[in-house]
Amino acid sequence: GEAVVPVANCDLREYNSNPKEQLLLREFLEYWREYIGNGHRSPRGCLYLKDWHLSRAFPEQEFYTTPVYFSSDWLNEYWDAVGGDDFRFVYMGPKGSWTPFHADVFRSYSWSANICGRKKWLLYPAGQEEFLKDRHGNLPFDVTAPDLRDERIYPRFSQSQPPLEIIQEAGEIVFIPSGWHHQVHNLEDTISINHNWINGCNVAFMWCFLQDELAAIQREIRQWQDPGEDWNLQCQLIMKSCTGIDYKEFYNFLKVIAENRISILEKGLDEESSSRNNSKAAISTLGMLHAVFDLKRTAKVLSSLSANEDFRKLDLTSLSPSPEALLHHMESAIDTAML
């Protein structure tokens, strides 16, 4: 009850999200009971506990295990290794709480498991969001708002497909592909577990997303100043503040994933690691061929990163090993494993 949790007010808008405050869990639960007892109304508005890093807050507890289908999870594998963050969340919200229209961080996959309650999902396949932008290029906050039908504001809305609508029941899991924008409404009092994750099947989407983000930043700030000596570094700093990662950290992300798989291919996995609920055990469960697959996908993206003009303009002397040395080690491990 003394845990501090992030709580959003679904009745208010702050830029393109709901404003958040920090509450003690017991305070939120007291509010929730009162909200239900008052016919799902409150002068405080509709509050939604979301993006709670429960696993990170209580690392000694094992609240649940990740379904095997989602266990190749590079995002959480990386941030578990370097510390400071994770992409495992608990959501707890009353009937009527909701999440505005968005796509997930780094254009990752996501999965959402309902512990109890019901959700309504409105999903648009990747690319459809282009038809939902207003005349200034901004995405809508709420895709159910009547304003979207005003051609003066949203000139291409009539070209969009209707969203895929899903009603998610208790005990069901929804999978969201990379780049699919979505909006979610709680039809009942609901508790869910949500993960964002990336693996060999969509890491190329992450790399494309980062390139697009950097290009947008470069276009934006070129209007305000001439490129100087620190131009590339400034663009990287802005990208990290906007997205949470820059090109050098993306290299380190690929390095951690690659080195974990190289270690398994070269040394195998000891029984103690196999028995744990961690990333190396997950790789072991998926098998050696999956580790080879991961290395091949990582090598392909790393080759593209190494050849990227904006990456090569950065000071790469702090990277150890160098991208070229890491790529050579990866290719050698793949060749040896396939013998």
Side-chain angles (χ1 to χ4, degrees):
E2 299 304 307
V4 178
V5 295
V7 176
N9 190 327
C10 297
D11 293 342
L12 301 178
R13 176 176 177 176
E14 189 173 83
Y15 300 104
N16 232 28
S17 61
N18 303 123
K20 283 185 177 177
E21 61 178 314
Q22 301 289 320
L23 294 178
L24 296 179
L25 177 60
R26 59 175 172 79
E27 293 175 342
F28 174 75
L29 295 178
E30 288 168 5
Y31 154 84
W32 196 353
R33 291 188 189 99
E34 292 172 3
Y35 191 82
I36 294 170
N38 197 35
H40 288 87
R41 292 186 303 273
S42 170
R44 298 177 65 182
C46 182
L47 303 185
Y48 192 3
L49 190 164
K50 60 195 306 187
D51 299 321
W52 180 21
H53 296 266
L54 176 66
S55 295
R56 191 178 77 195
F58 299 94
E60 71 284 356
Q61 299 288 333
E62 188 174 328
F63 296 100
Y64 60 90
T65 56
T66 303
V68 66
Y69 317 105
F70 313 129
S71 57
S72 180
D73 179 348
W74 296 8
L75 271 188
N76 289 303
E77 178 180 344
Y78 172 71
W79 263 277
D80 285 349
V82 301
D85 206 356
D86 75 333
F87 292 88
R88 308 177 184 95
F89 308 105
V90 167
Y91 282 49
M92 303 172 66
K95 177 182 177 181
S97 54
W98 67 295
T99 298
F101 191 61
H102 70 286
D104 289 316
V105 59
F106 307 136
R107 297 304 180 262
S108 58
Y109 296 142
S110 65
W111 62 266
S112 177
N114 265 11
I115 305 306
C116 61
R118 302 171 77 228
K119 293 180 186 285
K120 180 172 77 172
W121 295 75
L122 301 174
L123 303 121
Y124 286 88
Q128 280 291 306
E129 72 279 0
E130 294 300 320
F131 300 114
L132 304 177
K133 291 181 178 178
D134 67 17
R135 57 193 176 90
H136 301 294
N138 300 312
L139 287 169
F141 180 70
D142 178 0
V143 291
T144 67
D147 288 355
L148 268 75
R149 289 163 179 77
D150 187 338
E151 291 186 356
R152 295 168 298 177
I153 304 174
Y154 294 94
R156 303 178 68 194
F157 177 74
S158 61
Q159 301 174 50
S160 67
Q161 299 175 5
L164 174 65
E165 183 173 317
I166 295 172
I167 302 298
Q168 180 188 15
E169 305 288 348
E172 294 183 340
I173 299 178
V174 169
F175 163 72
I176 308 300
S178 289
W180 282 47
H181 284 68
H182 49 284
Q183 184 168 309
V184 191
H185 296 261
N186 289 326
L187 303 179
E188 297 174 358
D189 300 286
T190 302
I191 299 174
S192 65
I193 297 166
N194 299 53
H195 282 208
N196 296 113
W197 96 105
I198 282 165
N199 59 30
C201 295
N202 69 337
V203 66
F205 287 101
M206 181 180 183
W207 172 223
C208 288
F209 166 73
L210 293 177
Q211 292 174 85
D212 290 344
E213 286 292 298
L214 182 61
I217 290 165
Q218 290 170 339
R219 285 193 303 270
E220 182 73 19
I221 66 174
R222 244 188 211 111
Q223 300 178 44
W224 306 106
Q225 68 173 53
D226 294 327
E229 289 184 8
D230 63 347
W231 161 260
N232 294 294
L233 179 59
Q234 291 300 322
C235 290
Q236 292 289 321
L237 288 170
I238 293 170
M239 182 171 70
K240 185 157 188 175
S241 70
C242 293
T243 68
I245 196 170
D246 58 18
Y247 277 12
K248 288 173 77 171
E249 183 159 22
F250 183 58
Y251 169 77
N252 286 326
F253 168 75
L254 296 175
K255 181 186 79 167
V256 167
I257 300 304
E259 289 181 341
N260 283 348
R261 281 139 189 82
I262 289 170
S263 174
I264 286 169
L265 291 179
E266 292 182 346
K267 303 174 185 177
L269 193 73
D270 60 79
E271 291 185 8
E272 183 182 354
S273 295
S274 299
S275 64
R276 295 174 183 166
N277 180 32
N278 59 22
S279 57
K280 286 194 174 182
I283 301 165
S284 175
T285 301
L286 293 167
M288 301 294 274
L289 285 177
H290 196 105
V292 171
F293 168 81
D294 284 356
L295 269 185
K296 286 183 175 180
R297 289 300 180 96
T298 309
K300 186 173 181 178
V301 173
L302 178 56
S303 296
S304 178
L305 175 65
S306 299
N308 180 270
E309 183 179 348
D310 291 302
F311 180 68
R312 295 172 70 87
K313 288 177 180 176
L314 301 173
D315 179 7
L316 305 179
T317 56
S318 62
L319 301 183
S320 179
S322 68
E324 294 76 16
L326 177 59
L327 197 54
H328 178 74
H329 195 179
M330 292 165 66
E331 291 167 347
S332 175
I334 292 169
D335 290 343
T336 301
M338 297 305 289
L339 291 177

Coordinates of all heavy atoms in Angstrom, one line a residue, residues 70-78 81 197-201 253-269 278-284 286-299 326 329-330 332-334 337:
F70 N 6.2 -14.6 -25.9 CA 6.8 -13.3 -25.8 C 8.1 -13.3 -25.1 O 8.6 -12.2 -24.7 CB 5.8 -12.4 -25.1 CG 4.3 -12.5 -25.6 CD1 3.3 -12.7 -24.7 CD2 4.0 -12.5 -26.9 CE1 2.0 -12.9 -25.1 CE2 2.7 -12.6 -27.4 CZ 1.7 -12.8 -26.4
S71 N 8.8 -14.4 -25.0 CA 9.9 -14.5 -24.1 C 11.2 -14.0 -24.8 O 12.2 -13.7 -24.1 CB 10.1 -15.9 -23.6 OG 10.2 -16.8 -24.6
S72 N 11.2 -13.9 -26.1 CA 12.4 -13.3 -26.8 C 12.2 -11.8 -26.8 O 11.7 -11.2 -27.7 CB 12.5 -13.8 -28.2 OG 13.6 -13.3 -28.9
D73 N 12.6 -11.2 -25.7 CA 12.3 -9.8 -25.3 C 13.6 -9.0 -25.1 O 14.2 -8.9 -24.1 CB 11.5 -9.8 -24.0 CG 11.1 -8.5 -23.5 OD1 11.6 -7.5 -24.0 OD2 10.2 -8.4 -22.6
W74 N 14.1 -8.4 -26.2 CA 15.4 -7.8 -26.2 C 15.3 -6.5 -25.4 O 16.3 -6.1 -24.8 CB 15.8 -7.4 -27.6 CG 16.1 -8.6 -28.5 CD1 15.8 -10.0 -28.2 CD2 16.7 -8.6 -29.8 NE1 16.2 -10.7 -29.2 CE2 16.7 -10.0 -30.2 CE3 17.2 -7.6 -30.6 CZ2 17.3 -10.3 -31.5 CZ3 17.7 -8.0 -31.8 CH2 17.8 -9.3 -32.3
L75 N 14.2 -5.7 -25.4 CA 14.1 -4.5 -24.7 C 14.4 -4.7 -23.2 O 15.2 -4.0 -22.6 CB 12.8 -3.8 -24.9 CG 12.5 -2.9 -26.0 CD1 11.2 -2.2 -25.9 CD2 13.6 -1.8 -26.2
N76 N 13.7 -5.6 -22.6 CA 13.8 -5.9 -21.2 C 15.1 -6.6 -20.9 O 15.7 -6.4 -19.8 CB 12.6 -6.6 -20.6 CG 11.4 -5.7 -20.6 OD1 11.4 -4.6 -20.0 ND2 10.3 -6.1 -21.3
E77 N 15.6 -7.4 -21.8 CA 16.9 -8.0 -21.6 C 18.0 -7.0 -21.5 O 18.9 -7.0 -20.6 CB 17.2 -9.0 -22.8 CG 18.5 -9.7 -22.8 CD 18.7 -10.6 -24.0 OE1 17.7 -10.9 -24.6 OE2 19.9 -11.0 -24.2
Y78 N 17.9 -6.0 -22.4 CA 19.0 -4.9 -22.4 C 18.9 -4.1 -21.1 O 19.9 -3.9 -20.4 CB 18.8 -4.1 -23.6 CG 19.7 -2.8 -23.6 CD1 21.1 -3.0 -23.7 CD2 19.2 -1.6 -23.4 CE1 21.9 -1.8 -23.7 CE2 20.0 -0.4 -23.3 CZ 21.4 -0.6 -23.5 OH 22.2 0.5 -23.4
A81 N 20.1 -5.6 -18.1 CA 21.6 -5.6 -18.0 C 22.2 -4.3 -17.6 O 23.1 -4.3 -16.8 CB 22.1 -6.1 -19.4
W197 N 8.1 -5.0 -26.2 CA 9.3 -5.8 -26.5 C 9.7 -5.8 -28.0 O 8.9 -5.5 -28.8 CB 9.1 -7.2 -25.9 CG 8.6 -8.3 -26.8 CD1 9.4 -9.3 -27.3 CD2 7.3 -8.5 -27.3 NE1 8.6 -10.1 -28.1 CE2 7.4 -9.7 -28.1 CE3 6.1 -7.9 -27.1 CZ2 6.2 -10.2 -28.7 CZ3 5.0 -8.4 -27.7 CH2 5.0 -9.6 -28.5
I198 N 11.0 -6.0 -28.2 CA 11.6 -6.0 -29.5 C 12.4 -7.3 -29.6 O 13.0 -7.8 -28.6 CB 12.4 -4.8 -29.7 CG1 11.5 -3.6 -30.0 CG2 13.5 -5.0 -30.8 CD1 12.2 -2.3 -29.9
N199 N 12.4 -7.9 -30.7 CA 13.3 -9.1 -30.9 C 13.8 -9.1 -32.4 O 13.7 -8.1 -33.1 CB 12.6 -10.4 -30.5 CG 11.3 -10.6 -31.2 OD1 11.2 -10.2 -32.4 ND2 10.4 -11.3 -30.6
G200 N 14.3 -10.2 -32.8 CA 14.9 -10.4 -34.1 C 13.9 -10.1 -35.2 O 14.2 -9.8 -36.4
C201 N 12.6 -10.3 -35.0 CA 11.6 -10.1 -36.0 C 11.2 -8.7 -36.2 O 10.6 -8.4 -37.3 CB 10.3 -10.9 -35.6 SG 10.6 -12.7 -35.5
F253 N 22.8 -1.4 -27.2 CA 21.7 -2.3 -27.2 C 22.0 -3.5 -28.0 O 21.8 -4.7 -27.6 CB 20.4 -1.6 -27.7 CG 19.2 -2.4 -28.0 CD1 18.5 -2.9 -26.9 CD2 18.9 -2.7 -29.3 CE1 17.3 -3.7 -27.2 CE2 17.7 -3.4 -29.6 CZ 17.0 -4.0 -28.5
L254 N 22.4 -3.3 -29.3 CA 22.7 -4.4 -30.2 C 23.9 -5.3 -29.6 O 23.9 -6.5 -29.7 CB 23.0 -3.9 -31.6 CG 21.9 -3.2 -32.3 CD1 22.4 -2.6 -33.6 CD2 20.7 -4.1 -32.6
K255 N 24.8 -4.6 -29.0 CA 26.0 -5.3 -28.5 C 25.6 -6.2 -27.3 O 26.1 -7.4 -27.3 CB 27.0 -4.3 -27.9 CG 28.3 -4.9 -27.4 CD 29.2 -3.9 -26.8 CE 28.7 -3.5 -25.4 NZ 29.8 -2.7 -24.6
V256 N 24.8 -5.8 -26.4 CA 24.4 -6.6 -25.3 C 23.6 -7.9 -25.8 O 23.9 -9.0 -25.4 CB 23.5 -5.8 -24.3 CG1 22.8 -6.8 -23.3 CG2 24.4 -4.8 -23.5
I257 N 22.7 -7.7 -26.7 CA 22.0 -8.8 -27.3 C 22.9 -9.7 -28.0 O 22.8 -11.0 -27.8 CB 20.9 -8.3 -28.3 CG1 19.9 -7.3 -27.6 CG2 20.2 -9.4 -29.0 CD1 19.2 -7.9 -26.4
A258 N 23.8 -9.2 -28.8 CA 24.8 -10.1 -29.5 C 25.7 -10.8 -28.6 O 25.9 -12.1 -28.8 CB 25.6 -9.2 -30.5
E259 N 26.2 -10.2 -27.6 CA 27.2 -10.8 -26.7 C 26.5 -11.9 -25.9 O 27.2 -13.0 -25.6 CB 27.9 -9.8 -25.8 CG 28.9 -8.9 -26.6 CD 29.6 -7.9 -25.8 OE1 29.1 -7.6 -24.7 OE2 30.6 -7.4 -26.2
N260 N 25.3 -11.7 -25.5 CA 24.6 -12.8 -24.8 C 24.4 -14.0 -25.6 O 24.6 -15.2 -25.1 CB 23.2 -12.3 -24.3 CG 23.3 -11.4 -23.1 OD1 24.3 -11.3 -22.4 ND2 22.2 -10.7 -22.8
R261 N 24.1 -13.8 -26.9 CA 23.9 -15.0 -27.8 C 25.3 -15.6 -28.2 O 25.4 -16.8 -28.3 CB 23.1 -14.6 -29.0 CG 21.6 -14.5 -28.6 CD 20.9 -13.3 -29.3 NE 19.6 -13.2 -28.7 CZ 19.3 -12.6 -27.5 NH1 20.3 -12.1 -26.8 NH2 18.1 -12.5 -27.1
I262 N 26.3 -14.8 -28.4 CA 27.6 -15.3 -28.7 C 28.1 -16.2 -27.5 O 28.6 -17.3 -27.7 CB 28.6 -14.2 -28.9 CG1 28.3 -13.5 -30.2 CG2 30.1 -14.7 -28.9 CD1 29.1 -12.2 -30.5
S263 N 27.8 -15.7 -26.3 CA 28.2 -16.5 -25.1 C 27.5 -17.9 -25.0 O 28.2 -18.9 -24.7 CB 27.9 -15.7 -23.8 OG 28.1 -16.5 -22.7
I264 N 26.3 -17.9 -25.4 CA 25.5 -19.1 -25.3 C 26.0 -20.1 -26.4 O 26.2 -21.3 -26.2 CB 24.0 -18.9 -25.5 CG1 23.5 -18.3 -24.1 CG2 23.2 -20.1 -25.8 CD1 22.1 -17.7 -24.2
L265 N 26.3 -19.5 -27.6 CA 26.7 -20.4 -28.7 C 28.1 -20.9 -28.5 O 28.4 -22.1 -28.9 CB 26.7 -19.6 -30.0 CG 25.3 -19.2 -30.6 CD1 25.5 -18.4 -31.9 CD2 24.5 -20.5 -30.9
E266 N 29.0 -20.1 -27.8 CA 30.4 -20.6 -27.6 C 30.5 -21.4 -26.3 O 31.4 -22.3 -26.3 CB 31.3 -19.3 -27.5 CG 31.4 -18.6 -28.9 CD 32.3 -17.4 -28.8 OE1 32.7 -17.0 -27.7 OE2 32.7 -16.9 -29.9
K267 N 29.7 -21.1 -25.3 CA 30.0 -21.7 -24.0 C 28.8 -22.6 -23.5 O 28.9 -23.3 -22.5 CB 30.2 -20.6 -22.9 CG 31.4 -19.7 -23.2 CD 31.5 -18.6 -22.2 CE 32.5 -17.6 -22.5 NZ 32.6 -16.5 -21.6
G268 N 27.7 -22.5 -24.2 CA 26.5 -23.2 -23.7 C 25.9 -22.5 -22.5 O 26.3 -21.4 -22.1
L269 N 24.9 -23.1 -21.9 CA 24.2 -22.5 -20.7 C 24.3 -23.5 -19.5 O 24.0 -24.6 -19.7 CB 22.8 -22.2 -21.1 CG 22.0 -21.3 -20.1 CD1 22.5 -19.9 -20.3 CD2 20.5 -21.4 -20.4
N278 N 15.0 -15.6 -16.3 CA 15.7 -14.4 -16.8 C 16.0 -14.5 -18.3 O 15.5 -15.5 -19.0 CB 17.1 -14.2 -16.1 CG 18.0 -15.4 -16.2 OD1 17.9 -16.2 -17.1 ND2 18.9 -15.5 -15.3
S279 N 16.7 -13.6 -18.9 CA 16.8 -13.5 -20.4 C 17.6 -14.7 -20.9 O 17.3 -15.3 -21.9 CB 17.4 -12.2 -20.8 OG 18.7 -12.0 -20.1
K280 N 18.7 -15.1 -20.2 CA 19.5 -16.2 -20.7 C 18.7 -17.5 -20.7 O 18.8 -18.3 -21.5 CB 20.8 -16.3 -19.9 CG 21.8 -15.2 -20.2 CD 23.2 -15.5 -19.7 CE 24.2 -14.5 -20.2 NZ 25.6 -14.8 -19.7
A281 N 17.9 -17.7 -19.6 CA 17.1 -18.9 -19.5 C 16.1 -18.9 -20.7 O 15.8 -19.9 -21.3 CB 16.4 -18.9 -18.2
A282 N 15.6 -17.7 -21.0 CA 14.6 -17.6 -22.1 C 15.2 -17.9 -23.4 O 14.6 -18.7 -24.3 CB 14.0 -16.1 -22.2
I283 N 16.5 -17.5 -23.7 CA 17.2 -17.9 -24.9 C 17.4 -19.4 -24.9 O 17.2 -20.0 -26.0 CB 18.6 -17.2 -25.0 CG1 18.4 -15.7 -25.0 CG2 19.3 -17.6 -26.2 CD1 19.6 -14.9 -24.7
S284 N 17.7 -20.0 -23.8 CA 17.9 -21.4 -23.7 C 16.7 -22.2 -24.1 O 16.7 -23.2 -24.8 CB 18.4 -21.8 -22.3 OG 18.5 -23.2 -22.2
L286 N 14.2 -21.2 -26.0 CA 14.0 -21.0 -27.4 C 14.9 -21.8 -28.2 O 14.6 -22.2 -29.4 CB 14.0 -19.5 -27.8 CG 12.9 -18.7 -27.2 CD1 13.3 -17.2 -27.4 CD2 11.6 -19.0 -27.8
G287 N 16.1 -22.1 -27.7 CA 17.0 -23.0 -28.4 C 18.1 -22.4 -29.1 O 18.2 -21.1 -29.4
M288 N 19.1 -23.2 -29.5 CA 20.4 -22.6 -30.1 C 20.1 -22.0 -31.5 O 20.7 -21.0 -31.9 CB 21.4 -23.8 -30.2 CG 21.8 -24.4 -28.9 SD 22.6 -23.3 -27.8 CE 24.3 -23.5 -28.3
L289 N 19.2 -22.6 -32.3 CA 18.9 -22.1 -33.6 C 18.3 -20.7 -33.5 O 18.5 -19.9 -34.4 CB 18.0 -23.0 -34.4 CG 18.7 -24.3 -34.9 CD1 17.7 -25.2 -35.6 CD2 19.8 -23.9 -35.9
H290 N 17.5 -20.5 -32.4 CA 16.9 -19.2 -32.2 C 18.0 -18.2 -31.9 O 18.0 -17.0 -32.4 CB 15.9 -19.2 -31.1 CG 15.0 -18.0 -31.1 ND1 13.7 -18.1 -31.6 CD2 15.2 -16.7 -30.8 CE1 13.1 -16.9 -31.5 NE2 14.0 -16.0 -31.0
A291 N 19.0 -18.6 -31.2 CA 20.2 -17.7 -30.9 C 20.9 -17.3 -32.1 O 21.3 -16.2 -32.3 CB 21.1 -18.4 -29.9
V292 N 21.0 -18.3 -33.1 CA 21.7 -18.0 -34.4 C 20.8 -17.0 -35.2 O 21.3 -16.1 -35.8 CB 21.9 -19.3 -35.1 CG1 22.3 -19.0 -36.6 CG2 22.9 -20.2 -34.4
F293 N 19.5 -17.3 -35.2 CA 18.6 -16.4 -35.9 C 18.7 -15.0 -35.3 O 18.8 -14.0 -36.1 CB 17.1 -16.9 -35.7 CG 16.1 -15.9 -36.1 CD1 15.7 -15.7 -37.4 CD2 15.4 -15.1 -35.1 CE1 14.7 -14.8 -37.8 CE2 14.5 -14.2 -35.5 CZ 14.1 -14.0 -36.8
D294 N 18.8 -14.8 -34.0 CA 18.9 -13.5 -33.4 C 20.2 -12.8 -33.8 O 20.2 -11.6 -34.1 CB 18.9 -13.6 -31.8 CG 17.5 -13.9 -31.3 OD1 16.5 -13.8 -32.1 OD2 17.4 -14.1 -30.1
L295 N 21.3 -13.6 -33.8 CA 22.6 -13.0 -34.2 C 22.5 -12.6 -35.6 O 23.1 -11.5 -36.0 CB 23.7 -14.1 -34.0 CG 24.4 -14.1 -32.7 CD1 25.6 -15.1 -32.7 CD2 24.9 -12.7 -32.3
K296 N 21.9 -13.3 -36.5 CA 21.9 -12.9 -37.9 C 21.1 -11.7 -38.1 O 21.5 -10.8 -38.9 CB 21.2 -14.1 -38.8 CG 22.1 -15.3 -39.0 CD 21.4 -16.3 -39.9 CE 22.4 -17.5 -40.2 NZ 21.7 -18.5 -41.0
R297 N 20.0 -11.5 -37.4 CA 19.2 -10.3 -37.5 C 19.9 -9.1 -36.9 O 19.9 -8.0 -37.4 CB 17.8 -10.5 -36.8 CG 16.9 -11.4 -37.5 CD 16.5 -10.9 -38.9 NE 15.6 -11.8 -39.7 CZ 14.3 -11.6 -39.8 NH1 13.8 -10.6 -39.1 NH2 13.6 -12.4 -40.5
T298 N 20.6 -9.4 -35.8 CA 21.4 -8.3 -35.1 C 22.5 -7.8 -36.1 O 22.8 -6.6 -36.2 CB 22.0 -8.8 -33.8 OG1 20.9 -9.3 -33.0 CG2 22.6 -7.6 -33.0
A299 N 23.2 -8.8 -36.7 CA 24.3 -8.5 -37.6 C 23.8 -7.6 -38.8 O 24.5 -6.7 -39.2 CB 24.9 -9.8 -38.1
L326 N 33.0 -6.2 -33.3 CA 31.8 -7.0 -32.9 C 31.1 -7.7 -34.0 O 30.7 -8.9 -33.9 CB 30.8 -6.0 -32.2 CG 29.4 -6.6 -31.8 CD1 29.7 -7.7 -30.7 CD2 28.5 -5.6 -31.2
H329 N 33.1 -10.8 -34.8 CA 32.9 -11.8 -33.7 C 31.5 -12.5 -33.9 O 31.4 -13.8 -33.8 CB 33.0 -11.2 -32.4 CG 33.1 -12.2 -31.2 ND1 33.3 -11.8 -29.9 CD2 33.2 -13.6 -31.2 CE1 33.4 -12.9 -29.2 NE2 33.3 -13.9 -29.9
M330 N 30.5 -11.8 -34.3 CA 29.2 -12.3 -34.5 C 29.2 -13.3 -35.7 O 28.7 -14.4 -35.6 CB 28.2 -11.2 -34.8 CG 27.9 -10.3 -33.6 SD 27.1 -8.8 -34.0 CE 25.5 -9.4 -34.5
S332 N 31.7 -14.9 -36.9 CA 32.5 -16.1 -36.6 C 31.7 -17.0 -35.7 O 31.7 -18.3 -35.9 CB 33.8 -15.6 -35.8 OG 34.5 -16.8 -35.4
A333 N 30.9 -16.5 -34.7 CA 30.1 -17.4 -33.9 C 29.0 -18.0 -34.7 O 28.7 -19.2 -34.4 CB 29.5 -16.5 -32.7
I334 N 28.4 -17.3 -35.6 CA 27.4 -17.9 -36.5 C 27.9 -19.1 -37.3 O 27.4 -20.2 -37.4 CB 26.7 -16.9 -37.4 CG1 25.9 -15.9 -36.5 CG2 25.8 -17.5 -38.4 CD1 25.5 -14.6 -37.3
A337 N 28.7 -22.1 -35.1 CA 27.4 -22.8 -34.7 C 26.8 -23.6 -35.8 O 26.1 -24.6 -35.5 CB 26.5 -21.7 -34.1

